[in-house]
Amino acid sequence: MFFNLTESPWIRAGRQYHVRDLWTHTNNGTAVRNFTAHQVPPHGVVALLLTDAGDEPAGLWPPCARFEWCMDQNGTRLDNIGFGEGNEDTRRRRGWPALDAV
């Protein structure tokens, strides 16, 4: 069962989360932007507890899970990330990989 965490209004963008299965009492790693629960039977249910584990790892590409939702820290929308001329300087300042490395 696949969960896209970026589509949930309760998950903060730019964060990673520790995942705990409340029924099996197991820690299931860290989720960054998405999580897959394995071995869920048809019509089965998964009860997960997500706890904040800090910022996303640096250098993830793309910088947002969805380009149309990319926002800068000051709240402005980041348009045309990595597209067109003159964006290599912006990419370098933000620590994002060069276009030829993507």
Coordinates of all heavy atoms in Angstrom, one line a residue:
M1 N 0.9 -1.2 0.0 CA 0.0 0.0 0.0 C 0.9 1.2 0.0 O 1.8 1.4 0.9 CB -0.9 0.0 1.2 CG -1.9 1.1 1.3 SD -3.0 0.9 2.7 CE -3.9 -0.5 2.3
F2 N 0.7 2.1 -1.0 CA 1.6 3.3 -1.2 C 0.9 4.5 -0.6 O -0.3 4.7 -0.9 CB 1.9 3.4 -2.7 CG 2.8 4.6 -3.0 CD1 4.1 4.6 -2.8 CD2 2.2 5.8 -3.4 CE1 4.9 5.6 -3.1 CE2 3.0 6.9 -3.7 CZ 4.4 6.8 -3.5
F3 N 1.7 5.3 0.1 CA 1.2 6.6 0.7 C 2.0 7.7 0.1 O 3.3 7.7 0.3 CB 1.2 6.6 2.2 CG 0.4 5.5 2.8 CD1 1.0 4.4 3.2 CD2 -0.9 5.7 3.1 CE1 0.3 3.4 3.8 CE2 -1.6 4.7 3.7 CZ -1.0 3.6 4.1
N4 N 1.4 8.7 -0.5 CA 2.2 9.9 -1.0 C 2.0 10.9 0.1 O 0.9 11.6 0.2 CB 1.6 10.4 -2.3 CG 2.4 11.5 -2.8 OD1 3.2 12.2 -2.1 ND2 2.3 11.8 -4.1
L5 N 2.9 11.1 1.0 CA 2.8 12.0 2.1 C 2.6 13.4 1.7 O 2.1 14.2 2.5 CB 4.0 11.8 3.1 CG 4.3 10.4 3.6 CD1 5.5 10.4 4.4 CD2 3.1 9.9 4.4
T6 N 3.1 13.8 0.5 CA 3.0 15.2 0.1 C 1.6 15.6 -0.2 O 1.3 16.8 -0.3 CB 3.9 15.4 -1.1 OG1 3.4 14.7 -2.2 CG2 5.3 15.1 -0.8
E7 N 0.6 14.7 -0.3 CA -0.7 15.0 -0.6 C -1.6 15.1 0.7 O -2.8 15.3 0.6 CB -1.3 14.0 -1.6 CG -0.7 14.0 -2.9 CD -1.2 13.0 -3.9 OE1 -2.1 12.2 -3.5 OE2 -0.7 13.0 -5.0
S8 N -1.0 14.9 1.8 CA -1.8 15.0 3.1 C -1.7 16.4 3.6 O -0.6 17.0 3.7 CB -1.2 14.0 4.1 OG -1.8 14.2 5.3
P9 N -2.8 17.0 4.0 CA -2.7 18.3 4.6 C -2.1 18.3 6.0 O -1.8 19.4 6.6 CB -4.2 18.7 4.7 CG -5.0 17.5 4.7 CD -4.2 16.5 3.9
W10 N -1.9 17.1 6.6 CA -1.4 17.1 8.0 C 0.1 16.8 8.0 O 0.7 16.7 9.1 CB -2.1 16.0 8.8 CG -3.5 16.3 8.9 CD1 -4.1 17.2 9.8 CD2 -4.6 15.7 8.2 NE1 -5.5 17.2 9.6 CE2 -5.8 16.3 8.6 CE3 -4.7 14.8 7.1 CZ2 -7.0 16.0 8.1 CZ3 -5.9 14.5 6.6 CH2 -7.1 15.1 7.1
I11 N 0.7 16.6 6.9 CA 2.2 16.4 6.8 C 2.8 17.7 6.3 O 2.5 18.2 5.3 CB 2.5 15.2 5.8 CG1 1.8 13.9 6.2 CG2 4.0 15.0 5.6 CD1 2.3 13.4 7.5
R12 N 3.9 18.1 7.1 CA 4.6 19.3 6.7 C 5.5 19.1 5.6 O 6.3 18.1 5.6 CB 5.3 19.8 7.9 CG 4.4 20.4 9.0 CD 5.2 20.9 10.2 NE 6.3 21.8 9.8 CZ 7.4 21.9 10.5 NH1 7.6 21.3 11.6 NH2 8.4 22.7 10.1
A13 N 5.5 19.9 4.6 CA 6.5 19.8 3.5 C 7.9 20.0 4.0 O 8.1 20.8 4.9 CB 6.1 20.8 2.4
G14 N 8.8 19.3 3.3 CA 10.2 19.5 3.7 C 10.7 18.8 4.9 O 11.8 19.0 5.4
R15 N 9.9 17.9 5.4 CA 10.2 17.1 6.6 C 10.3 15.6 6.3 O 9.7 15.2 5.3 CB 9.2 17.3 7.7 CG 8.9 18.8 8.0 CD 10.0 19.5 8.6 NE 10.3 19.1 9.9 CZ 11.4 19.5 10.6 NH1 12.2 20.3 10.1 NH2 11.6 19.1 11.8
Q16 N 11.0 14.9 7.1 CA 11.0 13.4 7.1 C 10.4 12.9 8.4 O 10.4 13.6 9.4 CB 12.4 12.9 6.8 CG 13.4 13.2 7.8 CD 14.8 12.7 7.4 OE1 14.9 11.8 6.6 NE2 15.8 13.2 8.1
Y17 N 9.9 11.7 8.3 CA 9.1 11.1 9.5 C 9.5 9.7 9.8 O 9.7 8.9 8.9 CB 7.6 11.2 9.1 CG 7.1 12.6 9.1 CD1 7.1 13.3 7.9 CD2 6.6 13.2 10.2 CE1 6.6 14.6 7.8 CE2 6.1 14.5 10.1 CZ 6.1 15.2 8.9 OH 5.7 16.5 8.9
H18 N 9.7 9.4 11.1 CA 9.8 8.1 11.6 C 8.5 7.4 11.5 O 7.4 8.0 11.8 CB 10.3 8.0 13.0 CG 11.6 8.6 13.3 ND1 12.8 8.1 12.7 CD2 12.0 9.7 14.0 CE1 13.8 8.8 13.1 NE2 13.4 9.8 13.9
V19 N 8.4 6.1 11.0 CA 7.2 5.4 10.8 C 7.1 4.2 11.8 O 8.0 3.4 11.9 CB 7.1 4.9 9.4 CG1 5.8 4.1 9.2 CG2 7.2 6.0 8.4
R20 N 6.0 4.2 12.6 CA 5.8 3.1 13.5 C 4.5 2.5 13.2 O 3.5 3.1 13.1 CB 5.9 3.6 15.0 CG 5.6 2.5 16.0 CD 6.2 2.7 17.3 NE 6.0 1.7 18.3 CZ 6.7 0.6 18.4 NH1 7.7 0.4 17.7 NH2 6.4 -0.3 19.4
D21 N 4.5 1.1 13.1 CA 3.2 0.4 12.9 C 2.6 0.1 14.3 O 3.3 -0.6 15.1 CB 3.5 -0.9 12.2 CG 2.3 -1.7 11.8 OD1 1.3 -1.7 12.6 OD2 2.3 -2.2 10.7
L22 N 1.5 0.6 14.5 CA 0.9 0.5 15.9 C 0.3 -0.8 16.2 O 0.1 -1.2 17.3 CB -0.2 1.6 16.0 CG 0.3 3.1 15.9 CD1 -0.9 4.0 16.0 CD2 1.3 3.3 17.0
W23 N 0.0 -1.6 15.1 CA -0.6 -3.0 15.4 C 0.5 -4.0 15.6 O 0.4 -4.9 16.4 CB -1.5 -3.3 14.2 CG -2.8 -2.6 14.3 CD1 -3.2 -1.7 15.2 CD2 -3.8 -2.7 13.3 NE1 -4.4 -1.3 14.9 CE2 -4.9 -1.8 13.8 CE3 -4.0 -3.4 12.2 CZ2 -6.0 -1.7 13.1 CZ3 -5.2 -3.2 11.5 CH2 -6.2 -2.4 11.9
T24 N 1.6 -3.9 14.8 CA 2.7 -4.9 14.9 C 3.8 -4.5 15.9 O 4.7 -5.2 16.2 CB 3.3 -5.2 13.6 OG1 3.9 -4.0 13.1 CG2 2.3 -5.7 12.6
H25 N 3.7 -3.2 16.4 CA 4.6 -2.7 17.3 C 6.0 -2.7 16.8 O 7.0 -3.1 17.5 CB 4.6 -3.4 18.7 CG 3.2 -3.4 19.3 ND1 2.6 -2.3 19.9 CD2 2.3 -4.4 19.3 CE1 1.4 -2.7 20.3 NE2 1.2 -3.9 20.0
T26 N 6.2 -2.3 15.5 CA 7.5 -2.3 14.9 C 7.8 -0.9 14.3 O 6.9 -0.2 13.9 CB 7.6 -3.3 13.7 OG1 6.5 -3.0 12.8 CG2 7.4 -4.7 14.2
N27 N 9.1 -0.6 14.3 CA 9.5 0.7 13.7 C 9.9 0.3 12.3 O 10.6 -0.7 12.0 CB 10.8 1.2 14.4 CG 10.4 1.6 15.8 OD1 9.4 2.2 16.1 ND2 11.3 1.4 16.8
N28 N 9.3 1.1 11.3 CA 9.5 0.8 9.9 C 10.3 1.8 9.2 O 9.9 2.1 8.0 CB 8.1 0.6 9.3 CG 7.3 -0.6 9.9 OD1 8.0 -1.5 10.4 ND2 6.0 -0.6 9.9
G29 N 11.3 2.3 9.8 CA 12.2 3.2 9.0 C 11.7 4.7 9.0 O 10.9 5.1 9.8
T30 N 12.2 5.4 8.1 CA 12.0 6.8 7.9 C 11.4 7.1 6.5 O 11.8 6.5 5.5 CB 13.3 7.6 8.1 OG1 13.9 7.3 9.3 CG2 13.0 9.1 8.0
A31 N 10.3 7.9 6.5 CA 9.6 8.2 5.3 C 10.0 9.6 4.8 O 9.9 10.5 5.6 CB 8.1 8.1 5.4
V32 N 10.4 9.8 3.6 CA 10.6 11.1 3.0 C 9.7 11.2 1.8 O 9.9 10.4 0.8 CB 12.1 11.2 2.6 CG1 12.3 12.6 1.9 CG2 13.0 11.1 3.8
R33 N 8.7 12.0 1.8 CA 7.7 12.2 0.7 C 6.8 11.1 0.5 O 5.7 11.3 0.0 CB 8.4 12.6 -0.5 CG 9.2 13.9 -0.4 CD 9.8 14.4 -1.7 NE 10.6 15.5 -1.5 CZ 11.3 16.1 -2.4 NH1 11.4 15.5 -3.6 NH2 12.1 17.1 -2.2
N34 N 7.2 9.8 0.7 CA 6.2 8.7 0.5 C 6.6 7.5 1.4 O 7.7 7.5 1.9 CB 6.1 8.3 -1.0 CG 7.5 7.9 -1.5 OD1 8.1 6.9 -1.1 ND2 7.9 8.6 -2.6
F35 N 5.7 6.6 1.5 CA 5.9 5.4 2.3 C 5.1 4.3 1.7 O 4.0 4.5 1.2 CB 5.5 5.6 3.7 CG 5.7 4.4 4.6 CD1 6.9 4.1 5.0 CD2 4.6 3.6 4.9 CE1 7.1 3.0 5.8 CE2 4.8 2.5 5.7 CZ 6.0 2.2 6.2
T36 N 5.7 3.1 1.7 CA 5.0 1.9 1.2 C 4.9 0.9 2.3 O 5.9 0.5 2.9 CB 5.8 1.2 0.0 OG1 5.9 2.2 -1.1 CG2 5.0 0.0 -0.5
A37 N 3.7 0.5 2.6 CA 3.4 -0.5 3.7 C 3.3 -1.9 2.9 O 2.5 -2.0 2.0 CB 2.1 -0.2 4.4
H38 N 4.2 -2.8 3.3 CA 4.2 -4.1 2.6 C 3.3 -5.1 3.3 O 3.0 -5.0 4.5 CB 5.7 -4.6 2.5 CG 6.6 -3.7 1.8 ND1 6.6 -3.6 0.4 CD2 7.4 -2.7 2.2 CE1 7.5 -2.7 0.0 NE2 8.0 -2.1 1.1
Q39 N 2.9 -6.1 2.6 CA 2.2 -7.3 3.1 C 0.8 -6.9 3.8 O 0.5 -7.4 4.8 CB 3.0 -8.1 4.1 CG 4.3 -8.6 3.4 CD 5.2 -9.4 4.4 OE1 5.0 -9.3 5.6 NE2 6.1 -10.1 3.8
V40 N 0.1 -5.9 3.1 CA -1.2 -5.5 3.6 C -2.2 -6.4 2.8 O -2.2 -6.3 1.6 CB -1.5 -4.0 3.4 CG1 -2.9 -3.7 3.9 CG2 -0.4 -3.2 4.1
P41 N -3.0 -7.2 3.5 CA -3.9 -8.1 2.8 C -5.1 -7.2 2.1 O -5.3 -6.1 2.5 CB -4.5 -8.9 3.9 CG -4.3 -8.2 5.1 CD -3.1 -7.4 4.9
P42 N -5.7 -7.8 1.1 CA -6.9 -7.1 0.5 C -7.9 -6.7 1.6 O -8.2 -7.5 2.5 CB -7.5 -8.2 -0.5 CG -6.3 -9.1 -0.7 CD -5.5 -9.2 0.5
H43 N -8.4 -5.5 1.5 CA -9.3 -5.0 2.5 C -8.7 -4.8 3.8 O -9.4 -4.6 4.8 CB -10.6 -5.8 2.6 CG -11.3 -6.0 1.2 ND1 -11.9 -4.9 0.6 CD2 -11.4 -7.1 0.4 CE1 -12.4 -5.4 -0.5 NE2 -12.1 -6.7 -0.7
G44 N -7.3 -4.9 3.9 CA -6.6 -4.7 5.1 C -6.5 -3.3 5.6 O -6.8 -2.4 4.8
V45 N -6.0 -3.1 6.8 CA -5.8 -1.8 7.3 C -4.5 -1.7 8.0 O -3.9 -2.6 8.5 CB -6.9 -1.5 8.4 CG1 -6.7 -0.1 9.1 CG2 -8.3 -1.6 7.8
V46 N -3.9 -0.5 7.8 CA -2.6 -0.2 8.5 C -2.7 1.0 9.4 O -3.3 2.0 9.0 CB -1.5 0.1 7.4 CG1 -0.2 0.4 8.0 CG2 -1.4 -1.1 6.4
A47 N -2.3 0.8 10.6 CA -2.3 2.0 11.6 C -0.9 2.4 11.8 O -0.1 1.7 12.4 CB -3.0 1.5 12.9
L48 N -0.5 3.6 11.3 CA 0.8 4.1 11.4 C 0.9 5.4 12.2 O 0.0 6.2 12.2 CB 1.4 4.4 10.0 CG 1.4 3.3 9.0 CD1 1.8 3.8 7.6 CD2 2.3 2.2 9.4
L49 N 2.0 5.5 13.0 CA 2.3 6.7 13.7 C 3.5 7.3 13.0 O 4.5 6.7 13.0 CB 2.5 6.4 15.2 CG 3.0 7.6 16.0 CD1 1.8 8.6 16.1 CD2 3.4 7.1 17.4
L50 N 3.3 8.6 12.5 CA 4.4 9.3 11.9 C 4.9 10.4 12.9 O 4.0 11.2 13.3 CB 4.0 9.9 10.6 CG 3.4 9.0 9.6 CD1 2.9 9.8 8.3 CD2 4.4 8.0 9.2
T51 N 6.1 10.3 13.3 CA 6.7 11.4 14.1 C 7.8 12.1 13.4 O 8.6 11.5 12.7 CB 7.2 10.8 15.4 OG1 8.2 9.8 15.1 CG2 6.1 10.2 16.3
D52 N 7.9 13.4 13.6 CA 8.8 14.2 12.9 C 10.2 13.8 13.2 O 10.6 13.5 14.3 CB 8.6 15.7 13.4 CG 9.4 16.7 12.5 OD1 10.6 16.5 12.3 OD2 8.7 17.6 12.0
A53 N 11.0 13.6 12.1 CA 12.4 13.2 12.2 C 13.4 14.2 11.6 O 14.5 14.0 11.3 CB 12.6 11.9 11.4
G54 N 12.9 15.5 11.5 CA 13.8 16.6 11.0 C 13.6 16.9 9.6 O 12.7 16.4 8.9
D55 N 14.5 17.8 9.1 CA 14.4 18.2 7.7 C 14.7 17.1 6.7 O 15.4 16.1 7.1 CB 15.4 19.3 7.5 CG 15.1 20.6 8.2 OD1 13.9 20.9 8.4 OD2 16.1 21.4 8.5
E56 N 14.1 17.2 5.5 CA 14.5 16.2 4.5 C 16.0 16.3 4.3 O 16.6 17.3 4.5 CB 13.8 16.6 3.2 CG 12.3 16.3 3.1 CD 11.8 16.7 1.7 OE1 12.5 17.4 0.9 OE2 10.7 16.2 1.4
P57 N 16.5 15.1 3.8 CA 18.0 15.1 3.5 C 18.3 16.2 2.4 O 17.5 16.4 1.5 CB 18.2 13.7 3.0 CG 17.1 12.9 3.5 CD 15.9 13.8 3.6
A58 N 19.4 16.8 2.5 CA 19.8 17.9 1.6 C 20.1 17.2 0.2 O 20.5 16.1 0.1 CB 21.1 18.6 2.1
G59 N 19.8 18.0 -0.8 CA 20.1 17.6 -2.2 C 19.1 16.7 -2.8 O 19.4 16.2 -3.9
L60 N 17.9 16.5 -2.3 CA 16.9 15.7 -2.9 C 16.5 16.4 -4.2 O 16.3 17.6 -4.2 CB 15.7 15.6 -2.0 CG 15.7 14.6 -0.9 CD1 14.4 14.5 -0.2 CD2 16.1 13.2 -1.4
W61 N 16.3 15.6 -5.3 CA 15.8 16.2 -6.5 C 14.6 15.4 -6.9 O 14.6 14.2 -6.9 CB 16.9 16.1 -7.6 CG 16.3 16.8 -8.8 CD1 15.9 16.2 -9.9 CD2 16.1 18.2 -9.0 NE1 15.4 17.1 -10.8 CE2 15.6 18.4 -10.3 CE3 16.4 19.3 -8.2 CZ2 15.2 19.6 -10.8 CZ3 16.0 20.6 -8.8 CH2 15.5 20.7 -10.0
P62 N 13.5 16.1 -7.3 CA 13.3 17.5 -7.4 C 13.2 18.1 -5.9 O 12.9 17.4 -5.0 CB 12.0 17.7 -8.1 CG 11.3 16.4 -7.9 CD 12.3 15.4 -7.7
P63 N 13.4 19.4 -5.8 CA 13.4 20.1 -4.5 C 12.0 20.0 -3.9 O 11.8 20.2 -2.7 CB 13.8 21.5 -4.8 CG 13.5 21.7 -6.2 CD 13.7 20.4 -6.9
C64 N 11.0 19.8 -4.7 CA 9.6 19.6 -4.2 C 9.0 18.3 -4.8 O 9.4 17.9 -5.8 CB 8.7 20.8 -4.6 SG 9.3 22.4 -4.1
A65 N 8.1 17.7 -4.1 CA 7.5 16.5 -4.6 C 6.7 16.8 -5.9 O 6.7 15.9 -6.7 CB 6.6 15.9 -3.5
R66 N 6.2 18.0 -6.0 CA 5.5 18.4 -7.2 C 5.9 19.8 -7.5 O 5.9 20.7 -6.7 CB 4.0 18.4 -7.0 CG 3.4 17.0 -6.6 CD 2.0 17.0 -6.5 NE 1.6 15.8 -7.2 CZ 0.4 15.5 -7.5 NH1 -0.6 16.3 -7.3 NH2 0.1 14.3 -8.1
F67 N 6.4 20.0 -8.8 CA 6.9 21.3 -9.2 C 5.9 22.4 -9.0 O 6.2 23.5 -8.6 CB 7.3 21.2 -10.6 CG 8.6 20.6 -10.9 CD1 8.7 19.4 -11.6 CD2 9.8 21.0 -10.3 CE1 9.9 18.8 -11.8 CE2 11.0 20.4 -10.4 CZ 11.1 19.3 -11.2
E68 N 4.6 22.1 -9.2 CA 3.6 23.2 -9.1 C 3.4 23.6 -7.7 O 2.7 24.6 -7.4 CB 2.3 22.8 -9.8 CG 1.6 21.6 -9.2 CD 2.0 20.2 -9.8 OE1 3.1 20.2 -10.4 OE2 1.2 19.3 -9.7
W69 N 3.9 22.8 -6.7 CA 3.7 23.2 -5.3 C 5.0 23.7 -4.7 O 5.1 23.9 -3.5 CB 3.3 22.0 -4.5 CG 1.9 21.4 -4.8 CD1 1.0 22.0 -5.6 CD2 1.4 20.2 -4.4 NE1 -0.1 21.2 -5.7 CE2 0.1 20.1 -5.0 CE3 1.8 19.2 -3.6 CZ2 -0.7 19.0 -4.7 CZ3 1.0 18.1 -3.4 CH2 -0.3 18.0 -3.9
C70 N 6.0 23.9 -5.5 CA 7.3 24.4 -4.9 C 7.2 25.8 -4.4 O 6.9 26.7 -5.1 CB 8.4 24.3 -6.0 SG 9.0 22.7 -6.2
M71 N 7.5 26.0 -3.1 CA 7.5 27.3 -2.5 C 8.8 27.6 -1.8 O 9.4 26.7 -1.2 CB 6.4 27.4 -1.4 CG 5.0 27.0 -1.9 SD 4.4 28.2 -3.1 CE 3.8 29.5 -2.1
D72 N 9.2 28.8 -1.9 CA 10.5 29.2 -1.2 C 10.2 29.4 0.3 O 9.0 29.4 0.7 CB 11.0 30.5 -1.8 CG 12.4 30.8 -1.5 OD1 13.0 30.1 -0.6 OD2 13.0 31.6 -2.2
Q73 N 11.2 29.5 1.1 CA 11.0 29.7 2.5 C 10.2 31.0 2.9 O 9.6 31.1 3.9 CB 12.3 29.7 3.3 CG 13.0 28.3 3.2 CD 14.3 28.3 4.0 OE1 14.9 29.3 4.3 NE2 14.8 27.1 4.2
N74 N 10.3 32.0 2.0 CA 9.6 33.2 2.2 C 8.2 33.2 1.7 O 7.5 34.2 1.8 CB 10.4 34.4 1.6 CG 10.4 34.4 0.1 OD1 9.7 33.5 -0.6 ND2 11.2 35.2 -0.5
G75 N 7.7 32.0 1.2 CA 6.3 31.9 0.8 C 6.0 32.1 -0.6 O 4.9 32.0 -1.1
T76 N 7.0 32.5 -1.4 CA 6.8 32.8 -2.8 C 6.9 31.5 -3.6 O 7.7 30.6 -3.3 CB 7.8 33.8 -3.4 OG1 9.1 33.4 -3.2 CG2 7.6 35.2 -2.7
R77 N 6.2 31.4 -4.7 CA 6.3 30.2 -5.5 C 7.5 30.2 -6.4 O 7.9 31.2 -6.9 CB 5.0 30.2 -6.5 CG 5.0 28.9 -7.3 CD 3.7 28.9 -8.1 NE 3.8 27.9 -9.1 CZ 3.0 27.8 -10.1 NH1 1.9 28.5 -10.2 NH2 3.2 26.9 -11.0
L78 N 8.2 29.0 -6.5 CA 9.3 28.8 -7.3 C 8.9 28.3 -8.7 O 8.5 27.2 -8.8 CB 10.3 27.8 -6.7 CG 10.8 28.2 -5.3 CD1 11.6 27.0 -4.7 CD2 11.6 29.4 -5.3
D79 N 8.9 29.2 -9.6 CA 8.5 28.8 -11.0 C 9.7 28.4 -11.8 O 10.8 28.9 -11.7 CB 7.8 30.0 -11.7 CG 6.4 30.3 -11.1 OD1 5.7 29.4 -10.7 OD2 6.1 31.5 -10.9
N80 N 9.4 27.5 -12.7 CA 10.4 27.1 -13.7 C 11.7 26.6 -13.1 O 12.8 27.0 -13.5 CB 10.6 28.2 -14.7 CG 9.4 28.6 -15.5 OD1 8.6 27.7 -15.8 ND2 9.2 29.9 -15.7
I81 N 11.6 25.8 -12.1 CA 12.8 25.3 -11.4 C 13.6 24.5 -12.4 O 13.2 23.5 -12.9 CB 12.4 24.4 -10.2 CG1 11.7 25.2 -9.2 CG2 13.7 23.8 -9.6 CD1 11.2 24.4 -8.1
G82 N 14.8 25.0 -12.7 CA 15.7 24.2 -13.5 C 15.4 24.3 -15.0 O 16.0 23.5 -15.8
F83 N 14.5 25.1 -15.4 CA 14.1 25.1 -16.8 C 14.5 26.5 -17.4 O 14.3 27.5 -16.7 CB 12.6 24.9 -17.0 CG 12.2 23.5 -16.5 CD1 11.5 23.4 -15.3 CD2 12.6 22.4 -17.2 CE1 11.2 22.2 -14.8 CE2 12.2 21.1 -16.7 CZ 11.5 21.0 -15.5
G84 N 14.9 26.6 -18.6 CA 15.2 27.9 -19.2 C 16.6 28.3 -18.9 O 17.4 27.7 -18.2
E85 N 17.0 29.5 -19.5 CA 18.3 30.0 -19.3 C 18.4 30.8 -18.0 O 17.4 31.3 -17.5 CB 18.7 30.9 -20.4 CG 18.7 30.2 -21.8 CD 19.1 31.1 -22.9 OE1 19.7 32.1 -22.6 OE2 18.8 30.7 -24.0
G86 N 19.6 30.8 -17.4 CA 19.8 31.7 -16.2 C 19.5 31.0 -14.9 O 19.6 31.7 -13.9
N87 N 19.0 29.8 -14.9 CA 18.6 29.2 -13.7 C 19.8 28.4 -13.0 O 19.6 28.0 -11.9 CB 17.5 28.2 -13.9 CG 16.2 29.0 -14.2 OD1 15.9 30.0 -13.5 ND2 15.4 28.5 -15.1
E88 N 20.9 28.2 -13.7 CA 22.0 27.4 -13.1 C 22.5 28.1 -11.8 O 22.9 27.5 -10.8 CB 23.1 27.2 -14.0 CG 22.8 26.1 -15.0 CD 22.6 24.7 -14.4 OE1 23.3 24.4 -13.4 OE2 21.7 24.0 -14.8
D89 N 22.6 29.5 -11.8 CA 23.0 30.2 -10.6 C 22.1 30.0 -9.5 O 22.5 29.8 -8.3 CB 23.2 31.7 -10.9 CG 24.3 32.0 -11.8 OD1 25.3 31.2 -11.8 OD2 24.3 33.1 -12.5
T90 N 20.8 30.0 -9.7 CA 19.8 29.8 -8.7 C 19.9 28.4 -8.2 O 19.9 28.2 -6.9 CB 18.4 30.0 -9.2 OG1 18.2 31.3 -9.7 CG2 17.3 29.7 -8.2
R91 N 20.1 27.4 -9.0 CA 20.2 26.0 -8.6 C 21.5 25.9 -7.7 O 21.5 25.2 -6.7 CB 20.3 25.1 -9.8 CG 19.0 25.1 -10.7 CD 19.2 24.3 -11.9 NE 19.5 22.9 -11.6 CZ 18.5 22.0 -11.2 NH1 17.3 22.4 -11.1 NH2 18.9 20.8 -10.9
R92 N 22.6 26.5 -8.1 CA 23.9 26.4 -7.4 C 23.7 27.0 -6.0 O 24.1 26.4 -5.0 CB 25.0 27.0 -8.2 CG 26.3 26.7 -7.7 CD 27.5 27.3 -8.7 NE 27.1 28.2 -9.7 CZ 26.8 27.8 -11.0 NH1 26.8 26.6 -11.3 NH2 26.5 28.7 -11.9
R93 N 23.1 28.2 -5.9 CA 22.9 28.9 -4.6 C 22.0 28.0 -3.7 O 22.2 28.0 -2.5 CB 22.2 30.2 -4.8 CG 23.1 31.3 -5.3 CD 22.5 32.7 -5.1 NE 21.2 32.8 -5.6 CZ 20.8 33.1 -6.9 NH1 21.8 33.3 -7.8 NH2 19.6 33.2 -7.3
R94 N 21.1 27.3 -4.2 CA 20.2 26.5 -3.4 C 20.7 25.1 -3.1 O 20.1 24.4 -2.3 CB 18.8 26.4 -4.0 CG 18.1 27.7 -4.1 CD 16.7 27.5 -4.8 NE 16.0 28.7 -5.0 CZ 15.4 29.4 -4.0 NH1 15.3 28.9 -2.8 NH2 14.8 30.5 -4.3
G95 N 21.9 24.8 -3.7 CA 22.5 23.5 -3.4 C 21.9 22.4 -4.2 O 22.1 21.2 -3.9
W96 N 21.1 22.7 -5.3 CA 20.5 21.7 -6.1 C 21.5 21.2 -7.2 O 22.4 21.9 -7.6 CB 19.3 22.2 -6.8 CG 18.2 22.7 -5.8 CD1 18.1 22.3 -4.5 CD2 17.1 23.6 -6.1 NE1 17.0 22.9 -4.0 CE2 16.4 23.7 -4.9 CE3 16.7 24.2 -7.2 CZ2 15.3 24.5 -4.8 CZ3 15.6 25.0 -7.2 CH2 14.9 25.2 -6.0
P97 N 21.3 20.0 -7.7 CA 22.3 19.5 -8.7 C 22.1 20.2 -10.0 O 21.1 20.8 -10.3 CB 21.9 18.0 -8.8 CG 20.5 17.9 -8.4 CD 20.3 19.0 -7.3
A98 N 23.2 20.2 -10.8 CA 23.2 20.9 -12.1 C 22.3 20.1 -13.0 O 22.0 18.9 -12.8 CB 24.6 20.9 -12.7
L99 N 21.7 20.8 -14.0 CA 20.8 20.1 -14.9 C 21.4 18.9 -15.6 O 20.7 17.9 -15.8 CB 20.3 21.1 -16.0 CG 19.3 22.1 -15.5 CD1 18.9 23.1 -16.6 CD2 18.0 21.5 -14.9
D100 N 22.6 18.9 -15.9 CA 23.2 17.8 -16.6 C 23.5 16.6 -15.7 O 23.7 15.5 -16.1 CB 24.5 18.2 -17.3 CG 25.6 18.8 -16.4 OD1 25.3 18.9 -15.2 OD2 26.6 19.2 -16.8
A101 N 23.3 16.9 -14.4 CA 23.5 15.8 -13.4 C 22.2 15.1 -13.0 O 22.1 14.1 -12.4 CB 24.1 16.3 -12.1
V102 N 21.1 15.7 -13.5 CA 19.7 15.2 -13.1 C 19.3 14.1 -14.1 O 19.5 14.2 -15.3 CB 18.7 16.3 -13.1 CG1 17.3 15.8 -12.9 CG2 19.1 17.4 -12.1

